[in-house]
Amino acid sequence: MLFDILAMARQHLLYFIVGLQRKTAVILILLLSISSVLFFVTPLYGQSRKNVTAEELINLTNQSRADFNLAPLYQNFQLTQAAKNKANDLIKKNYFSHNSPDGKTFSQWVKEVDYQYAIVGENLAMGFSSSEAVVKAWLKSAQHRQNILNPRYNQIGIYVKKGKLEDQNTFVVVQYFGAPYPPIMILSENLLFYQRNNRQNYPVAV
């Protein structure tokens, strides 16, 4: 009788241990599954986040120019400073236009940083979440596309500012194009007189 009771107790103990092992295994599997989901979802979420940067915009602008065999644009500190000043003004005064509410034209921002230009142009953008989307929208617009693909430009300045404009939190982009005056070239002596006497003949985009 005693042996029978001990045998039954031993059998129940084995069943309990096996059941406990199964529950532990299930819990471990669930924990590993959750960890795997978190590990793979987090990088995917990170990759889906977009951003707008001046460096990307310059690269994409030059890629677009290269598609048409145009020379790349080189970043200019003065144009970049003018773009920064304009972007800050857009946010501060809450407007989105080439001309400010007080009548200040975009070319005046360039003049204020003492950039002597033969020609200058401006592109603006807001409401986009990626640099690619900004350039794609510019290229679909005839006037913005003309600025990007203008062979006369050889310098560029871009500033991206994140802020609240027209009741929305957004990236505000100001892009300036320019060609300095006098042009960057080596002039022979017989051209100097022509240059001096035709100083006012360069067109200005405003």
Side-chain angles (χ1 to χ4, degrees):
M1 183 71 177
L2 179 61
F3 288 107
D4 291 338
I5 294 174
L6 290 174
M8 290 180 62
R10 181 181 178 185
Q11 187 174 8
H12 284 300
L13 180 61
L14 288 174
Y15 285 150
F16 173 79
I17 293 173
V18 171
L20 182 62
Q21 289 175 339
R22 288 178 178 174
K23 289 180 180 180
T24 303
V26 170
I27 292 172
L28 287 173
I29 291 172
L30 287 173
L31 288 174
L32 287 173
S33 299
I34 293 172
S35 299
S36 299
V37 169
L38 290 175
F39 179 80
F40 288 108
V41 169
T42 303
L44 288 175
Y45 174 77
Q47 291 175 2
S48 66
R49 296 178 64 184
K50 299 294 184 179
N51 198 11
V52 181
T53 68
E55 182 180 1
E56 289 177 344
L57 291 169
I58 291 175
N59 290 336
L60 291 168
T61 296
N62 281 329
Q63 287 176 19
S64 300
R65 289 175 64 87
D67 291 340
F68 291 87
N69 297 317
L70 296 173
L73 303 174
Y74 296 96
Q75 190 170 12
N76 176 272
F77 172 78
Q78 291 166 295
L79 289 177
T80 301
Q81 184 62 50
K84 179 180 180 179
N85 295 342
K86 174 66 177 286
N88 288 333
D89 197 63
L90 291 174
I91 298 293
K92 181 180 179 180
K93 298 180 180 176
N94 193 35
Y95 72 97
F96 186 71
S97 173
H98 292 295
N99 298 332
S100 67
D102 55 4
K104 186 173 183 177
T105 63
F106 78 86
S107 60
Q108 288 180 269
W109 294 101
V110 178
K111 293 175 183 176
E112 286 181 355
V113 296
D114 199 30
Y115 181 80
Q116 304 297 319
Y117 60 85
I119 184 172
V120 67
E122 177 188 72
N123 281 349
L124 300 177
M126 65 171 286
F128 296 94
S129 60
S130 72
S131 301
E132 292 82 0
V134 172
V135 175
K136 186 178 293 184
W138 278 340
L139 291 173
K140 288 182 179 179
S141 166
Q143 292 180 338
H144 296 90
R145 179 186 177 90
Q146 185 178 3
N147 273 337
I148 292 174
L149 302 181
N150 191 327
R152 297 187 61 191
Y153 293 133
N154 50 40
Q155 296 183 341
I156 190 172
I158 296 182
Y159 192 77
V160 179
K161 184 177 180 65
K162 192 171 184 179
K164 190 171 185 179
L165 183 63
E166 296 183 350
D167 296 325
Q168 62 174 307
N169 292 316
T170 180
F171 289 106
V172 176
V173 182
V174 179
Q175 181 183 50
Y176 276 125
F177 303 87
Y181 186 90
I184 301 175
M185 64 176 73
I186 299 175
L187 294 174
S188 62
E189 290 183 4
N190 61 341
L191 289 177
L192 289 176
F193 177 80
Y194 177 83
Q195 183 198 30
R196 294 192 195 102
N197 287 276
N198 290 273
R199 188 182 182 94
Q200 302 302 324
N201 291 339
Y202 285 88
V204 176
V206 294

